[in-house]
Amino acid sequence: MRLTTAGSARNIEEAIVGRITTQNLPDATRGQYIRFFAEGEAPILDFAGYRAILSHADLATDYPVVDRLRESEHFRDGDVVVVERDGFVRSLYRSYERHHSLFVTERCSSNCLMCSQPPKDKDDVESLTKRNQELIRLMSPAPEYLTITGGEPTLLGDHLFELIDQLKTSLPNTELHMLTNGRTFAWPEYTRQFAAIEHPNLCLGVPLYSDCAGDHDYVVQAKGAFDQTVAGLHQAARNGIRVEVRVVLHRLTIPRLTRLVEYIYRNLSFVEHVALMGLEYVGYTPRNIAELWIDPFDYQAELERAVNYLVMRNMTVSIYNHQLCVLRQSLWPYAQKSISDWKNLYLTECEKCSALEDCGGLFKWAVKKHSEHIHPL
Amino acid sequence: MARSFYPIENFAPAPQQVSLLPFRFTRFFGQELLVNEAGEFIFAPEGTAYSLLEGAVDVRSLLYKDLKAKHIVYDETSSALLDVLATKIRTKYDHLSGGTKLHIFVVTLRCEHSCHYCQVSRQTASKGEFDMSRETADRSISLMLDSPSPHVTLELQGGEPLLAFDMIQYIVPKAKEQARIRNKGLDIVVTTNLACATDEMLTYFRDEEVRISTSLDGPAFLHNKNRPRPGNDSYERAIDGIERGRAILGHSNVAALMTTTAASLDHVEEIIDEYVRRDFHTIFLRPISPYGFALKTKNRTGYEMERFLEFYKQGLAHILNINRSGYRLAEIYSQILLSKILTPQGTGYVDLQSPAGGAWNVLVYNYNGDVFASDESRMLAEMQDWTFRLGNVHKDNRRSLFTSEAALRMFEVSCNQSLAGCSDCAFQSYCGADPIYHHATQGDMYGHRPTSGFCTRNMEVIKHLFSFIQEDNPETMGIFWSWLTGRPLPQKGGTCD
Ligand code: SF4
Ligand code: SF4
């Protein structure tokens, strides 16, 4: 499933966020909408009141428009898209999905060796905040799950508090997840302010890669990060903020995995969920693959030990991004179908597989690098 | 512009200066066991503590990483995370916050049994003389609720409290009403031998949500030997009471405790099998307490602690076998200690705490209004030893009880952190202090660990449990964890490793 398309843009001063409609709406109700003319459809030239026009066909108009769209079959009525000045049209929200995300910044205070979304040092905070505020206004029906992601969301400063406050007011029943390196939460005052928003359904997803400061700091490429993250997790818990710990499994994290979960149990027993995640072959990973790669087949013993360690202690644990044919069968109950549909893919072998229904499959970028042991069950 | 990556040396330089955090250690079957201030432990090669002191430990070794992650050492390359250590220690001591939780009311000293080891009961007395009065009950309830704890447990005890059932019927509604007014949680338990429990009484307990704790010392021959009563039918009456109690109150609201007498020592498996036969899922292998009449009649009921420890170990082995066969049966004392050793939490168990649980976590209100620091203190008083009487409900308030001479003398020696023997004991964070025990057995509250039954028992039980942990058999550990979490027992063959 695709998320972006492009065409030629005119009359667009700054990025426009709006909802797709294929209907001719009454003038008074056009305010939130972007009128989209699908392939083969002849545009009706009544554009007044729409935020923008999207069209396959050439269109001469003074209204903001992207025409000669390359692809558009993925648009549905009610989708929220952003139309960039350069003619890029990106889908931000698609009502029929259960999982949605709010991408808040490309900046980050860490630089993890296997980051799937490598950080960029550019100031995108104001523009993305504005876009996200509008996006939240337009999300309807309210999503079941929404993930705030980046980059590092806490770098937004006060804008993050504004966004969460807005979410609390306009989407109070949406289960909110925020992926953060947790370091900013080491500051008691920051965490107090964050907690004071009192979002009713918010959980932080925080990565921890070792029980040893130096090893963790190396993986996230930031000195002092371990101390800040652990302190941040404690501050969060002390202020009643729910937290989940996420561990990406690779050659640097596998050797001390059991000790890491032991550390989590003894030092961070308040975490409500531990997610053990397969490596994604995207972002920085290809660059550092020599150092990171271990075939998941080769770490099943460690994975099983870590999962059992947590399960025996009544901790909730899940395995993400792993194929059933590579996982030991005792681990299947913990494997989640976690890859969102636009990112996931099955190999040709999978067509013959009896577990296809229950298997999460692979990330689409995993075609280039995946376990040698994938085989139909 | 893409950022650069840096090598591991930039993030994990070799430390120059290794600093120690508080820890204690002991030799342990070919290894060394190091325990930090929060009770986290690590098995290390012998000599590890020494090389830490000498500064000779290899900072590049995996062991060094383990020691650092376990809050035993730290160095200048990263923060010691002392806040995190402090939180862990605070969690272990959580039972201290809030104040006294367990309040034992001795509603009567009368009893129809004449157990050899019983310290206090009066079989011959007529009604009235040894019963709690309404005024005393009122004052006791009020003092109980003066405890800052938001939730208290009231234990109705005797003698045999059912002989003063009218008093129970007075106390229960009164305590509930007062607790409601003061906005406190209240649990009520009655400790009874069930010999004279009528269905009406049991129905009353059901309606008032009072749980039952009873005595079951083992199979009939043993139970009846330990617990003589007219008709020699203590066992039959207890079993009948347990069955009826379960039928009326629900299975989980009837618990049983056993006492190990000299006669019990050769029958641990029969005792345990009796608990299984009676469908109990917990058993507490408890030594006899060396107080009151039990101390006097030592030759009839008493024994050396070493003999009890054999009994305990043999019993635990049998219990583990029963669990392996699929029947869940937890041994309570082991469960308490394992929880202290293996989990980040503390336990509320009064007899294994530092500061000692007396007064801080339990208060006993005698039938005549005297307030004691523990049930054992009251038994001593029955032998004219008033050392641990903190005061009387008719003269004292919570403050004067806690600042009485008796209380202050006891508090001074209540922390094993500062007792000779305990202060450098590897097991200190799992163990407790017990000034009352040491006063009773050694004539000195401070106590002498090398000859102390309390120390002998705990040191040996803790070592025994650690030997299972060191062995790390997945099935055994799975059973232990199932006791700690309530999760199902491991499948045959073990699934935990
Ligand atoms: S063969 Fe494909 S569908 Fe089957 S378990 Fe493996 S990855 Fe999943
Ligand atoms: S009583 Fe014995 S086992 Fe317990 S802490 Fe003291 S010395 Fe150690």
Side-chain angles (χ1 to χ4, degrees), chain B residues 55 71 83 102 108 120 157 173 182 192 260 262 267 317 335 342 359 412-414 437 479:
Chain B
H71 263 126
D83 265 6
L102 177 60
T108 178
V120 293
Q157 201 191 270
R182 302 229 219 156
T192 164
T260 310
H267 304 289
Q335 184 186 321
L342 295 174
E412 236 170 48
V413 290
S414 272
Y437 182 102
I479 291 168

Side-chain angles (χ1 to χ4, degrees), chain B residues 49-68:
Chain B
Y50 186 73
S51 54
L52 279 174
L53 290 176
E54 291 286 291
V57 73
D58 174 7
V59 293
R60 284 287 172 206
S61 63
L62 291 178
L63 174 64
Y64 182 74
K65 286 187 174 187
D66 293 346
L67 293 168
K68 215 174 137 176

Side-chain angles (χ1 to χ4, degrees), chain B residues 11 42 121 128 150 160 168 170 172 177 248 270 275 315 317 330 360 400 416 419 444 454 471:
Chain B
F11 304 97
I42 178 171
S121 73
E160 172 46 53
I168 293 179
Y170 176 78
V172 168
E177 185 201 333
I248 295 173
E270 285 123 294
Y275 271 70
W360 292 119
S400 64
N416 64 4
L419 295 178
D444 167 27
F454 176 86
E471 182 192 352

Side-chain angles (χ1 to χ4, degrees), chain A residues 221 227 256 259 262 267, chain B residues 6 65-66 70 79 88:
Chain A
Q221 293 280 303
D227 297 342
R256 289 187 76 85
R259 285 175 165 88
E262 209 176 305
N267 293 274
Chain B
Y6 300 93
K65 286 187 174 187
D66 293 346
K70 287 262 158 90
S79 153
K88 287 192 282 192

Side-chain angles (χ1 to χ4, degrees), chain A residues 323-325 346 350 353 356 359 362 374-377:
Chain A
Q323 297 77 47
L324 293 183
C325 50
Y346 295 88
C350 301
C353 177
L356 186 81
C359 177
L362 292 79
I374 290 181
H375 61 280
L377 294 165

